[in-house]
Amino acid sequence: MVKSRIPNPRRPLLLGAAALLGTSALLVACGAPGSPTAAGDAAHRSASPSASGGTTGASGGSTTGAARPTPGADESSAAATATPTATSTPTSTRTPSASPAGTPTGAPASPFASATTSPTAPSAPAASAPAASPSTHAPATGVLRHTASGGRTVALTFDDGPGPATGQVLDLLAQYGAKATFCEIGTNAQARPAAVQRILAEGHRLCDHTVDHPQPMHAQTHEQQVAEIGDAKAMIEKAAGGDPAVTWWRAPGGDFTAENERIGADLGMKSLGWTVDPRDWARPGVQAIVSNVQQNLRPGGVVLMHDGGGDRTQTVAALKQLLPWLVAQGYTFDFPQS
């Protein structure tokens, strides 16, 4: 039996039909470009840009340029680069407010966009920074360094008390009819209320010298400086009893700034400095203390000495020489400007 043969001209047509049927089956399996199941470059081209500069694919996953393999890179490099996207936090755990602009509420958000578009992330540190950071060190402009009356007057001031030497200082001042200002540590005033009351009873005046003498003062936060100055004033007033006037405050080490000057002013006190510092706190010797005052004092000056904060034997001995010398030089005793 002779089989019929298809003429050669019809064979190309049958082959072409078979090829067309194979292409259609392939498109059904893979999906047409732009359809929900499309993949590869067609999906990246149809995706909308995310807030981080990456793209959000049609399936909702986030991709960025960094997650794509570099042309020419081997497969292991490509897999390592793509890992962050594949293991990103599931979008179901993100809050809708963290979604980038243009992403529907509840839709998957780019993990990179949430770090840069969340409105609360950058604002939180800024709100807490002023309280945590150290205070500024702008210089004070209203520190007082002169007597109230001027002329040939002197203002004697004593810091860091009351202490064991305060009574001896008061005895010497009484002998010469001298008045002085006592800049007191809050905790010392609290521990020696009788000394504070004697200071006032004998006509002297009080000054706030902070709770516990922090140095440097300007390195304290604003809240700490408010507490140091304000609490000391309250402690001194309580130790004194009644309604004593605490007219001035003095920064430890003279570390006045515009900030703590304002704190003192808000509490009703002026900032009190000095013009003569014989460094008696360092115990340089009685004659060194005496010579320093005699050489540097000018009419209307404010002398800084100490009745507390340590051994003040040298200060008391120097005061025994300075008081008669001041009287002999024609000085009268005054309080600082207020």
Side-chain angles (χ1 to χ4, degrees):
M1 178 178 177
V2 179
K3 297 179 180 179
S4 62
R5 300 178 64 183
I6 300 174
N8 287 340
R10 295 176 61 186
R11 293 177 67 184
L13 293 175
L14 291 174
L15 292 173
L20 181 59
L21 289 173
T23 303
S24 299
L26 181 63
L27 289 173
V28 170
C30 298
S35 68
T37 57
D41 289 340
H44 289 302
R45 284 196 297 270
S46 64
S48 59
S50 71
S52 64
T55 57
T56 304
S59 62
S62 173
T63 60
T64 66
R68 302 178 193 174
T70 310
D74 57 28
E75 291 297 322
S76 61
S77 299
T81 308
T83 300
T85 302
T87 59
S88 60
T89 306
T91 55
S92 61
T93 62
R94 302 179 189 280
T95 58
S97 62
S99 301
T103 304
T105 302
S110 166
F112 302 97
S114 64
T116 57
T117 59
S118 173
T120 57
S123 61
S128 60
S133 60
S135 301
T136 56
H137 198 186
T141 57
V143 180
L144 304 178
R145 296 185 174 89
H146 202 273
T147 61
S149 303
R152 202 165 182 79
T153 59
V154 60
L156 300 178
T157 65
F158 295 90
D159 280 12
D160 296 351
T166 302
Q168 298 176 65
V169 170
L170 289 170
D171 291 343
L172 288 170
L173 294 174
Q175 290 181 29
Y176 292 90
K179 302 304 177 187
T181 301
F182 289 80
C183 299
E184 302 190 324
I185 300 294
T187 53
N188 289 346
Q190 188 178 51
R192 297 174 180 271
V196 180
Q197 293 165 19
R198 180 184 171 187
I199 287 169
L200 287 175
E202 296 184 5
H204 307 290
R205 295 190 183 175
L206 298 173
C207 168
D208 177 334
H209 199 33
T210 73
V211 173
D212 53 12
H213 207 277
Q215 288 184 278
M217 184 74 172
H218 75 268
Q220 307 291 306
T221 65
H222 180 81
E223 289 75 13
Q224 288 172 330
Q225 293 188 72
V226 169
E228 282 287 339
I229 301 169
D231 290 356
K233 182 174 186 285
M235 295 165 82
I236 294 167
E237 290 173 341
K238 183 176 180 180
D243 187 21
V246 182
T247 309
W248 307 271
W249 87 280
R250 174 174 279 169
D255 190 10
F256 291 103
T257 64
E259 180 180 25
N260 58 42
E261 181 181 29
R262 170 48 52 192
I263 293 170
D266 288 344
L267 292 166
M269 298 180 291
K270 303 291 182 64
S271 298
L272 178 58
W274 59 83
T275 59
V276 182
D277 177 12
R279 295 176 61 83
D280 64 316
W281 57 269
R283 298 192 293 276
V286 175
Q287 286 310 123
I289 298 170
V290 171
S291 297
N292 191 310
V293 175
Q294 291 176 340
Q295 293 171 15
N296 294 295
L297 179 62
R298 300 292 180 272
V302 178
V303 178
L304 166 63
M305 300 178 81
H306 294 76
D307 66 321
D311 181 1
R312 297 296 163 235
T313 304
Q314 292 185 12
T315 300
V316 172
L319 195 59
K320 289 180 180 179
Q321 298 183 42
L322 285 171
L323 286 170
W325 177 83
L326 289 168
V327 172
Q329 296 297 313
Y331 279 96
T332 57
F333 302 97
D334 198 3
F335 295 112
Q337 290 171 295
S338 60

